[in-house]
Amino acid sequence: MPDKLSQTFTALADPTRRALLAKLSRGETNVSELAKPFLKKMSLPAITKHLKVLEKAGLITKSRIAQMRPCKINGEALKDVAQWMEQYRIYWEESLDRLGEYLKTIHPTPSSKGKNDGRTS
Amino acid sequence: MPDKLSQTFTALADPTRRALLAKLSRGETNVSELAKPFLKKMSLPAITKHLKVLEKAGLITKSRIAQMRPCKINGEALKDVAQWMEQYRIYWEESLDRLGEYLKTIHPTPSSKGKNDGRTS
């Protein structure tokens, strides 16, 4: 059996599962409601399978209230990813800085534009 | 072909590949040097394969200087993961807070101990 963190990363390595999480980030949602936008592309059993992968990885929890199956995000597994990411902060922050610098060159703010066109000393 | 982020998460979903990244987080390392601690458990071709998965996902870059094959971490793919994680910050920070509160109860700091045992008003 894969370790917990590997299981979490595997669960996140699928665009449908990430889209399901994104929908759940807006709040607790019932399975049938959650499945709706995906039913054009895949079957309900396929969606249920994706939800099971997320649940097994500890990324969501599913409860049972009468006929309802409300799902919600479980922060625990995401916390483990965030903690793992922390040791590489120096690498991804450097990349974010570079992205920020690049965005400034294509969308200069009034102050940075002022600095670049030589109107300020 | 899987999308870039799915490819990155798949690459991270393996403890050996994460261990290789952890070793590289200490600095640029030649492939042979990088492989050494893993050779007790697996073959050099198996390690090379893992490095290829990391390279394809954009998590590392490998260059060629004479007989050397130095590898280093590439922040780009990690930045994408960090940016994706950002939208779930509310969930994992809540979990980190809970972890912090729990750790305080089992390893109380002098000040929090003071507050708990009623010696301070």
Side-chain angles (χ1 to χ4, degrees), chain A residues 3 6 18 22 78 85 88 95, chain B residues 3 6 18 22 75 78 85 88:
Chain A
D3 63 286
S6 297
R18 291 198 304 276
L78 287 169
M85 283 293 288
Y88 300 99
S95 274
Chain B
D3 63 284
S6 297
R18 292 199 302 277
L78 288 168
M85 283 293 288
Y88 300 98

Side-chain angles (χ1 to χ4, degrees), chain A residues 32-48:
Chain A
S32 57
E33 185 59 32
L34 191 59
K36 253 184 209 166
F38 300 93
L39 289 173
K40 290 169 209 157
K41 281 190 176 177
M42 60 185 81
S43 66
L44 186 60
I47 298 161
T48 310

